[in-house]
Amino acid sequence: MAGDVFGRLILNTRTCYIEMPQEQYAHRSTMQTSEGPQDGMGNLRITEKGLKLEGDSEFLKPLYAKEIRSRPGNPLYFQSARNVTVNILNEKTKVLTRLVTGPQAVEAHSQKFEVKTLSGKLLFSADDNEVVVGAERLRVLGAEGTVFPKSIETPNVRADPFKELRLESPTRALVMEAPKGIEINAEAGSLKATCRTELRLESKDGEITLNSAKIKLPNLPQGSSSSAGSRQKIYELCVCPNGRLFLSQAGTSSTCQINTSVCL
């Protein structure tokens, strides 16, 4: 592992082992101090496995090591006044992947970014072509929901139990397309569709079925009364040539022809 540190890196742990290639320290098994030869200096000790650090240690320049680990059961902390950068290099010292933890953000630079469970199941991945969410459910907890500036493809969109699901486009159109059909189901509540101008139900090759025990059209226009003194509240449903519906007060025979002025 090669770690480039901008600023001062503090390795904070009770005991830290750093395994380094043998040729980097085998030629100097002791360190000369004012007190004579020792197997280390201060918190630094040389062991058969590598260098052993006790307490907090500071590295003012880049540190190159094969492995950095703490004593089993103890945490390992990396602290820096600015940021900590971890680079993965190839044999030509070219950066392949980079992880930067800074005061403002945590950045990962690579061809592909993946998050997996301990069993290896993919939870999240991102590359130049697509972003994949592999979890069974994607939850959006923001009060304003989520905004998709372009299209979204998913087999299922649903709200949490006892919560409302709202699909809206404040300034543009909302289009739902599927080659094998679209199903909108509200098992424990109502379904509401609201628009400012026109609401169209169109079937090119099939039919439109309204299957309910009660069908209400409360705001249909009414034609003039068939007789001035009639007070009955029974109406006939009429259809104009252009498809418009209106109500005409029922009589002994059809009264739709009398009120054709509604179709104009």
Side-chain angles (χ1 to χ4, degrees):
M1 181 186 72
D4 295 336
V5 181
F6 299 92
R8 185 174 62 180
L9 172 64
I10 302 176
L11 195 63
N12 184 3
T13 180
R14 292 183 179 179
T15 303
C16 175
Y17 295 93
I18 302 178
E19 293 189 5
M20 304 177 66
Q22 293 288 336
E23 60 272 12
Q24 292 193 19
Y25 65 88
H27 67 282
R28 183 179 297 178
S29 60
T30 61
M31 289 187 177
Q32 185 70 32
T33 65
S34 59
E35 299 178 356
Q38 296 181 356
D39 61 346
M41 180 183 298
N43 295 334
L44 181 62
R45 295 289 185 271
I46 298 179
T47 66
E48 295 180 355
K49 296 182 179 180
L51 301 179
K52 180 180 179 181
L53 298 177
E54 297 283 353
D56 297 345
S57 302
E58 299 182 9
F59 297 91
L60 303 181
K61 291 185 178 181
L63 170 67
Y64 300 90
K66 179 181 179 181
E67 181 180 351
I68 299 176
R69 58 186 175 87
S70 66
R71 176 182 294 175
N74 293 332
L76 177 64
Y77 299 96
F78 291 93
Q79 298 180 2
S80 175
R82 294 180 61 184
N83 59 50
V84 176
T85 303
V86 179
N87 293 331
I88 305 300
L89 311 178
N90 60 9
E91 63 278 1
K92 298 181 180 179
T93 67
K94 180 180 179 181
V95 177
L96 299 179
T97 60
R98 172 179 295 173
L99 177 64
V100 181
T101 59
Q104 300 296 330
V106 177
E107 299 180 1
H109 302 263
S110 63
Q111 294 183 352
K112 190 173 184 179
F113 179 76
E114 292 184 345
V115 178
K116 296 183 178 181
T117 63
L118 294 177
S119 61
K121 180 181 179 181
L122 180 65
L123 295 179
F124 178 87
S125 69
D127 56 24
D128 291 339
N129 298 322
E130 63 179 2
V131 175
V132 178
V133 178
E136 296 294 334
R137 177 183 299 180
L138 174 63
R139 298 183 62 189
V140 180
L141 302 179
E144 298 297 327
T146 181
V147 178
F148 298 97
K150 295 184 179 180
S151 62
I152 177 175
E153 181 178 346
T154 177
N156 189 8
V157 178
R158 65 180 180 180
D160 287 338
F162 308 106
K163 301 292 184 179
E164 292 185 354
L165 174 64
R166 176 178 295 180
L167 302 177
E168 63 179 358
S169 178
T171 58
R172 301 296 175 90
L174 178 62
V175 180
M176 292 186 293
E177 297 179 347
K180 295 185 178 181
I182 298 176
E183 180 180 352
I184 302 177
N185 185 16
E187 296 181 355
S190 59
L191 175 64
K192 183 179 181 181
T194 304
C195 64
R196 183 173 295 277
T197 56
E198 296 181 355
L199 176 63
R200 295 185 180 182
L201 300 177
E202 180 180 353
S203 177
K204 295 181 179 180
D205 300 325
E207 62 183 12
I208 297 176
T209 302
L210 300 178
N211 186 8
S212 176
K214 295 181 180 180
I215 298 177
K216 295 182 179 181
L217 302 173
N219 295 324
L220 289 179
Q222 298 182 13
S224 58
S225 301
S226 57
S227 60
S230 176
R231 295 182 179 180
Q232 64 178 349
K233 294 183 179 181
I234 301 176
Y235 295 90
E236 182 180 358
L237 180 62
C238 306
V239 183
C240 298
N242 59 6
R244 184 178 183 181
L245 301 178
F246 69 93
L247 298 178
S248 178
Q249 197 171 54
T252 56
S253 61
S254 177
T255 59
C256 292
Q257 296 294 334
I258 303 175
N259 298 286
T260 53
S261 59
V262 180
C263 299
L264 301 178

